Structure formats: C-alpha cells, structure tokens
Amino acid sequence: MISNRTFHRINRIVSLAFCALLFIAVKVHAQSDSLPSWNDGPAKQAILDFVKVTTDSGSPKFVPPEARIAAFDQDGTTWVEQPLYTQVMFAFYQVGVLAKKDPKIAAAEPFKTVLSGDRAAIAKLKMPDLLKILAATHTGMTVEVFQASVKEWIATAKDPRWKRPYTELVYQPMLEVMKYLRDNGYKTYIVTGGGQDFVRVYSEQVYGIPPEQVVGTAADTKFSYDKNGKATLTKVPKLILDDDKAGKPSGIHLMIGRRPVAAFGNSAGDQQMLEYTQAGDGARLMMLVHHDDAVREYAYGPKSKIGTFPDTLMAEARKNGWTVISMKNDWKVIYPFERK
Amino acid sequence: MISNRTFHRINRIVSLAFCALLFIAVKVHAQSDSLPSWNDGPAKQAILDFVKVTTDSGSPKFVPPEARIAAFDQDGTTWVEQPLYTQVMFAFYQVGVLAKKDPKIAAAEPFKTVLSGDRAAIAKLKMPDLLKILAATHTGMTVEVFQASVKEWIATAKDPRWKRPYTELVYQPMLEVMKYLRDNGYKTYIVTGGGQDFVRVYSEQVYGIPPEQVVGTAADTKFSYDKNGKATLTKVPKLILDDDKAGKPSGIHLMIGRRPVAAFGNSAGDQQMLEYTQAGDGARLMMLVHHDDAVREYAYGPKSKIGTFPDTLMAEARKNGWTVISMKNDWKVIYPFERK
C-alpha cells in the first residue's frame, strides 16, 4: 500500500498529465488542415482569418456563438447547376410519372414538350410553362408523398455527364467549409432559390444540415383531414416565399431572424444576400464561387441563363471586398469522389 | 519514487474511481425531480412517461434525436394572456409613441380611441381597427428599429395586476418542461399566433429558445438600401404567415419541416397543431393548459374572447387522449417568483 499523501500526489500528477495531453490533442487538431481540398491562396486565407478573428474571445471581432450564422446558396455554390438545375430534372421526371397515370397530361402542353425529350423545344419553354410544370409536379399531394417522391428520385437519378447521383456532385471544398464553420460553433444554413421542401429531403445526408436549417422558395400548405380523419398537409400552388435575389434577405429574416455573418453564393441571385450580410456590424465574410473550370466542371458567367454571374456583380465584389473563389485555382478537387 | 507498475495501477484506480463517481453523479441527476413545480398526477406522469419511452434506445417508441421536436404555443400556454395579449399592450403603447411624433395620428381613429384609455370603447374595437393599429405599430420601420422598440418596452412595461414585467409572468412549470425536454435531446419551439418578430426579441432570455426556433405570425419585409447605401429590411403590412388554428401546422411545416412529436397549447387556436402532432407515427404527447385557477391566475374557458377553450375542444381532448393540465391542481406554483 502507498500512503494517502503519495496517492493524492499521484492523483494530481495523473490529472495534470491527462489535462496536458488533452490540451496537446486539441492544439494538434486545431493546427491540422481543416480545408485540405483548398489550395493556399487568398480564398482559403479569407476563410481561416475570418474563423480565427470571430471565434477568439480576445479578438475585437469576436462573434458570440449564438450569432454565428452562415448562409450557403445551393445551386452552383454547393453543387452542380449545369446544364439544368437538379430540381428541374426532377420536375421533368415527375411529368413522366404523372403522364403514365393520366393520359390527359401526356397530351397537353407544356407536358407534351417535356415528354418529347426534344432539348431545343424544352429550352424554349417560357416561365408560365415552367410554373405549370412546377405546380403539377410539386403541389396537389401531401407533404409526405412529395418527400417520398424526391427521396426515391434522388437515390436513383444520375447526372448525364458524370453518370453519378446528383448528391455526389457536391463541391468537396464547400463541404469542408461548412464542417469547418460548424466545428467552430457556426450554425450553417442553406439559403436557396430552389424549393425548400425539395432540398430538405437530402440536406442532412448531403450537407450535414438539418431540414429546419434549409431556407428556400416555398409554396403554402393546406391543412385538412384524410379519409381516416388524420390531420394532414397538402402542398398548394400559392407561393409564400420567393427565395431569390431580394427575396433571400427576407427569407433569412423570416426563417432565421438574424443577419448572417458569413454568406456564400455564386450568381446574381445571391447579390442581395451578400449585401445584407455585409451591412451588419463587425467581422463579415462574403464569398462568390466563380465557375471558371471548363475541364473539371463548367466555365460560365455573364452570358449563362443558369447561374448568371454578371460583370456588375464581379465589379461589386471587387469594390466591396468580397472574395471570389476560382474553382480552377482555389480548389484541388471539385467532387468528393476525386479525392485520393 | 514509486515503481512504474505501481504508478500504472494507481492511475487505473484513479480513472476507475473517477468513472464510478461520474456514473453515480449522472444517476443521481437523472433521478432528481426535473419537474419540481408539478404536483404528482396524470399530467406530470404523462410528461415523464413520454420522455422515458422516446429517449430509451431500447424502447419500441424511441425517437431519434434529430426528430425530437416539441412545439409550445405562447399566450396562455407559457405566459399570461389575460386581460389582453401582451403584444396588444405593446401595440397600444406604441400608438402613444407614434401620436407624440405625429399629431395627425392622435386625431384619427382608431388611434384616438386607444389614446383615450376608455376601456369600454377599446374593447369595442373591431378587427379592421386592430389591423390598422398593428400595421401602424408593427410595420414601416426597419427590423432593427422594431426589435429595439420591443426590447425597450418589454424591459420596462408592467402588468397591471402583478405590477411586474410581462417576462416574469411566465409559467414556471412550463419552463421546467421546456428545459426537461431540451435536457433529453428535444429541440423546443415556440409556435405562436403572436408576432414572430415580437417574440424573437425575448425568447432566448425568457424561454431559452433562440429566435430561429420561434414560429409565429409574420408579415413580409422589403429589401432596400438606406441613405448610406447599406442593405436593409423594412417591415411591410403584407401577411405571409397567419400562424393560428389551421395556420399552425402550415407554419410548422414552413419553418421546421418536420412534424412535432410533442405539442402544448391552451385554446382553440392550438387544436390543429395538436391534431397534426398526433397524426404522426409512434409516441406522441399532446397537452392543453386549462386556466382553472381564479385565485393564483385566471379562470376562463369557453366564453373567454381571449384564449377560448370551447367545450368541443375539451371533448376532443378526452376522445383523443390528450392531457389537460389543471393549473389549479397540477401546478405547485404559477410563476418563477412564487418559488420558495
């Protein structure tokens, strides 16, 4: 037996050693590269600097944990949006499903054009046509039936170029930014012009973002009782949140109620969200993904119908000190499956 | 010096002792009463049973942590709503503030009636009058200016009966339920017919619920630039979410995107929220606060204009197995300041 005094001394040594090890482990963890798919450069540095000054309690730019809100656009910012938005591919597929059930749909425009598969004709569809397609494929069913249809499609549909599920065509460097921010106490949100109910189906699995942290374009729902008397919600074609352009700050206010301190986008649709983010006090991070990699992904900008990045936006980014991310130069890999 | 072997042995003993202590501490904590302001009875037992079966991973009614959503109505469920909703008191006060700045408001109806202080006349105001008052006091300013006005008022205004700030007139037993649920992995939400922007100002401080977990009636906001060119949001009189009755399930779907597993209300305005909650699969908890304590709070029910609890709702509660909380019998204290 050892004496009581020795026991206490050893106890203290063990505790101290344990604490020291813990401290070292935390240090090592903090110093390891949290953004391994980013090349060294101003974009990566901007993220690292921002996290450092906003999470160091001694920093004048410290942001208290509850105010650490980061907003990410989706299409073109966290996953591929070319040649067509993934949700539009889903809607076109659903037209086929509906047509099988109802021959009248198959015979009527604009559904007939979609079913023809004629790309040139499909590309010429106008906004009222697209709204008809969205209404037919996104409303008139319970929220659970809609969710199930998205879940089924997203698990099996494949992108025509990469022959992979759309959920694999997410940008690995952006996944790393999201995780890095969360590891530093940030609450990450998707703020998309796309449909809120669509993105919520896969957001947790793909981005680690729960449904309640997805802000997107939303139609209303109607409360009623099903044939068994159970309370149910049906999706109806009445827009309540048009979460694009000036609608993004309003969507953020409605759904989050706080101004983000960091915002990530890639197109004219994100301009107001970045302006709204910047207009707050203290440290701010505004970033725009620039699609300039024709080999590994796509190169597009001012002239693209999808994900338009006008010269005026580029000029505003320069003027306001927003960081433009070059996919070609800043990203070591684009997709998770490219990692070695 | 002691031998290396002794050191390791002691190290192991210390670690084991530490673990044992930790285990005991956790056990003791779990067995201590998490609902000390509740009398033993069916209401308290319903809460304890629900938490037990939904958080025990071996239970067939286990609910995974991400699905643990609990919704609480506010007025009459978590704080006093008589003789008038707190937010209406705020609106009346703001009419005075506006009238001081603009004599035209002081001279026009319905503001003139509000300023008269004539209770009988105020009680006769009709819905269009109240909407005018709400529009004048809740819109036309930036969200920050509105938030500041609520913050200032709520810090100083006092309830006429208790002569205390409204934020002290919260129900202690309900604060305990919220905390108990959160301690067991539940995400707690306020789902109120009141204004989302109003409740969000104090929800964290009063309920421990952050602004982004407050769902309430919401007007739209308009994006613009202030005189310095800074991006700003102005509250506009266009309703986008009427979060009452059948609007509550829709508000929940819009803002949370998941069906709650527990819901707490007190009036006809909460009926559909409880029905929607109950219609999901697995364990469910639906509770209604019944105001039956004329001495310590108020006693009201089917005939009250505010917080109507119709006989049909009571019948539905009995039929559906919802738990009715008797404030008189189930609660040891009503308010935090009554605790000994």
PDB file of all heavy atoms in Angstrom, chain A residues 137-150:
ATOM      1  N   THR A 137     -46.088  19.128 -60.616  1.00  0.00           N
ATOM      2  CA  THR A 137     -45.184  18.128 -60.033  1.00  0.00           C
ATOM      3  C   THR A 137     -44.872  18.381 -58.561  1.00  0.00           C
ATOM      4  O   THR A 137     -44.345  17.500 -57.882  1.00  0.00           O
ATOM      5  CB  THR A 137     -43.853  18.095 -60.805  1.00  0.00           C
ATOM      6  OG1 THR A 137     -43.271  19.416 -60.797  1.00  0.00           O
ATOM      7  CG2 THR A 137     -44.059  17.656 -62.243  1.00  0.00           C
ATOM      8  N   HIS A 138     -45.166  19.584 -58.067  1.00  0.00           N
ATOM      9  CA  HIS A 138     -44.790  19.943 -56.702  1.00  0.00           C
ATOM     10  C   HIS A 138     -45.967  20.246 -55.789  1.00  0.00           C
ATOM     11  O   HIS A 138     -45.767  20.527 -54.610  1.00  0.00           O
ATOM     12  CB  HIS A 138     -43.857  21.160 -56.701  1.00  0.00           C
ATOM     13  CG  HIS A 138     -42.456  20.853 -57.120  1.00  0.00           C
ATOM     14  ND1 HIS A 138     -42.128  20.437 -58.387  1.00  0.00           N
ATOM     15  CD2 HIS A 138     -41.288  20.893 -56.438  1.00  0.00           C
ATOM     16  CE1 HIS A 138     -40.824  20.245 -58.462  1.00  0.00           C
ATOM     17  NE2 HIS A 138     -40.287  20.509 -57.299  1.00  0.00           N
ATOM     18  N   THR A 139     -47.177  20.249 -56.318  1.00  0.00           N
ATOM     19  CA  THR A 139     -48.330  20.548 -55.459  1.00  0.00           C
ATOM     20  C   THR A 139     -49.464  19.564 -55.753  1.00  0.00           C
ATOM     21  O   THR A 139     -49.428  18.843 -56.742  1.00  0.00           O
ATOM     22  CB  THR A 139     -48.837  22.001 -55.661  1.00  0.00           C
ATOM     23  OG1 THR A 139     -49.382  22.136 -56.982  1.00  0.00           O
ATOM     24  CG2 THR A 139     -47.721  23.014 -55.479  1.00  0.00           C
ATOM     25  N   GLY A 140     -50.431  19.567 -54.847  1.00  0.00           N
ATOM     26  CA  GLY A 140     -51.582  18.678 -55.026  1.00  0.00           C
ATOM     27  C   GLY A 140     -51.441  17.362 -54.283  1.00  0.00           C
ATOM     28  O   GLY A 140     -52.345  16.539 -54.297  1.00  0.00           O
ATOM     29  N   MET A 141     -50.291  17.177 -53.625  1.00  0.00           N
ATOM     30  CA  MET A 141     -50.090  15.945 -52.849  1.00  0.00           C
ATOM     31  C   MET A 141     -49.735  16.314 -51.402  1.00  0.00           C
ATOM     32  O   MET A 141     -49.404  17.461 -51.114  1.00  0.00           O
ATOM     33  CB  MET A 141     -48.981  15.081 -53.464  1.00  0.00           C
ATOM     34  CG  MET A 141     -47.579  15.659 -53.361  1.00  0.00           C
ATOM     35  SD  MET A 141     -47.268  17.105 -54.424  1.00  0.00           S
ATOM     36  CE  MET A 141     -46.977  16.304 -56.006  1.00  0.00           C
ATOM     37  N   THR A 142     -49.824  15.324 -50.498  1.00  0.00           N
ATOM     38  CA  THR A 142     -49.425  15.609 -49.119  1.00  0.00           C
ATOM     39  C   THR A 142     -47.914  15.846 -49.082  1.00  0.00           C
ATOM     40  O   THR A 142     -47.181  15.416 -49.984  1.00  0.00           O
ATOM     41  CB  THR A 142     -49.750  14.437 -48.172  1.00  0.00           C
ATOM     42  OG1 THR A 142     -48.935  13.319 -48.536  1.00  0.00           O
ATOM     43  CG2 THR A 142     -51.217  14.041 -48.244  1.00  0.00           C
ATOM     44  N   VAL A 143     -47.444  16.495 -48.041  1.00  0.00           N
ATOM     45  CA  VAL A 143     -46.008  16.756 -47.946  1.00  0.00           C
ATOM     46  C   VAL A 143     -45.232  15.438 -47.868  1.00  0.00           C
ATOM     47  O   VAL A 143     -44.128  15.338 -48.409  1.00  0.00           O
ATOM     48  CB  VAL A 143     -45.654  17.694 -46.757  1.00  0.00           C
ATOM     49  CG1 VAL A 143     -46.339  19.045 -46.921  1.00  0.00           C
ATOM     50  CG2 VAL A 143     -46.037  17.098 -45.428  1.00  0.00           C
ATOM     51  N   GLU A 144     -45.822  14.424 -47.244  1.00  0.00           N
ATOM     52  CA  GLU A 144     -45.123  13.138 -47.121  1.00  0.00           C
ATOM     53  C   GLU A 144     -44.990  12.446 -48.486  1.00  0.00           C
ATOM     54  O   GLU A 144     -43.946  11.865 -48.785  1.00  0.00           O
ATOM     55  CB  GLU A 144     -45.845  12.205 -46.141  1.00  0.00           C
ATOM     56  CG  GLU A 144     -45.699  12.584 -44.672  1.00  0.00           C
ATOM     57  CD  GLU A 144     -46.659  13.684 -44.239  1.00  0.00           C
ATOM     58  OE1 GLU A 144     -47.568  14.043 -45.030  1.00  0.00           O
ATOM     59  OE2 GLU A 144     -46.497  14.198 -43.109  1.00  0.00           O
ATOM     60  N   VAL A 145     -46.039  12.518 -49.299  1.00  0.00           N
ATOM     61  CA  VAL A 145     -45.982  11.912 -50.634  1.00  0.00           C
ATOM     62  C   VAL A 145     -44.928  12.634 -51.477  1.00  0.00           C
ATOM     63  O   VAL A 145     -44.133  12.002 -52.182  1.00  0.00           O
ATOM     64  CB  VAL A 145     -47.382  11.953 -51.318  1.00  0.00           C
ATOM     65  CG1 VAL A 145     -47.278  11.675 -52.815  1.00  0.00           C
ATOM     66  CG2 VAL A 145     -48.308  10.938 -50.655  1.00  0.00           C
ATOM     67  N   PHE A 146     -44.888  13.975 -51.378  1.00  0.00           N
ATOM     68  CA  PHE A 146     -43.878  14.724 -52.123  1.00  0.00           C
ATOM     69  C   PHE A 146     -42.472  14.335 -51.662  1.00  0.00           C
ATOM     70  O   PHE A 146     -41.586  14.051 -52.485  1.00  0.00           O
ATOM     71  CB  PHE A 146     -44.092  16.235 -51.958  1.00  0.00           C
ATOM     72  CG  PHE A 146     -43.032  17.043 -52.672  1.00  0.00           C
ATOM     73  CD1 PHE A 146     -43.060  17.174 -54.055  1.00  0.00           C
ATOM     74  CD2 PHE A 146     -41.987  17.631 -51.971  1.00  0.00           C
ATOM     75  CE1 PHE A 146     -42.070  17.887 -54.724  1.00  0.00           C
ATOM     76  CE2 PHE A 146     -40.993  18.341 -52.629  1.00  0.00           C
ATOM     77  CZ  PHE A 146     -41.032  18.468 -54.007  1.00  0.00           C
ATOM     78  N   GLN A 147     -42.270  14.304 -50.355  1.00  0.00           N
ATOM     79  CA  GLN A 147     -40.947  13.955 -49.815  1.00  0.00           C
ATOM     80  C   GLN A 147     -40.506  12.568 -50.291  1.00  0.00           C
ATOM     81  O   GLN A 147     -39.353  12.366 -50.663  1.00  0.00           O
ATOM     82  CB  GLN A 147     -40.960  14.002 -48.284  1.00  0.00           C
ATOM     83  CG  GLN A 147     -41.006  15.428 -47.730  1.00  0.00           C
ATOM     84  CD  GLN A 147     -41.470  15.500 -46.277  1.00  0.00           C
ATOM     85  OE1 GLN A 147     -41.978  14.532 -45.712  1.00  0.00           O
ATOM     86  NE2 GLN A 147     -41.298  16.668 -45.663  1.00  0.00           N
ATOM     87  N   ALA A 148     -41.447  11.636 -50.304  1.00  0.00           N
ATOM     88  CA  ALA A 148     -41.117  10.275 -50.727  1.00  0.00           C
ATOM     89  C   ALA A 148     -40.713  10.251 -52.204  1.00  0.00           C
ATOM     90  O   ALA A 148     -39.792   9.519 -52.595  1.00  0.00           O
ATOM     91  CB  ALA A 148     -42.307   9.349 -50.479  1.00  0.00           C
ATOM     92  N   SER A 149     -41.382  11.077 -53.020  1.00  0.00           N
ATOM     93  CA  SER A 149     -41.054  11.086 -54.453  1.00  0.00           C
ATOM     94  C   SER A 149     -39.658  11.664 -54.691  1.00  0.00           C
ATOM     95  O   SER A 149     -38.920  11.190 -55.551  1.00  0.00           O
ATOM     96  CB  SER A 149     -42.117  11.857 -55.245  1.00  0.00           C
ATOM     97  OG  SER A 149     -42.030  13.247 -54.998  1.00  0.00           O
ATOM     98  N   VAL A 150     -39.290  12.686 -53.911  1.00  0.00           N
ATOM     99  CA  VAL A 150     -37.942  13.253 -54.041  1.00  0.00           C
ATOM    100  C   VAL A 150     -36.903  12.235 -53.574  1.00  0.00           C
ATOM    101  O   VAL A 150     -35.882  12.008 -54.239  1.00  0.00           O
ATOM    102  CB  VAL A 150     -37.793  14.557 -53.212  1.00  0.00           C
ATOM    103  CG1 VAL A 150     -36.360  15.088 -53.293  1.00  0.00           C
ATOM    104  CG2 VAL A 150     -38.775  15.614 -53.681  1.00  0.00           C
TER     105      VAL A 150
END
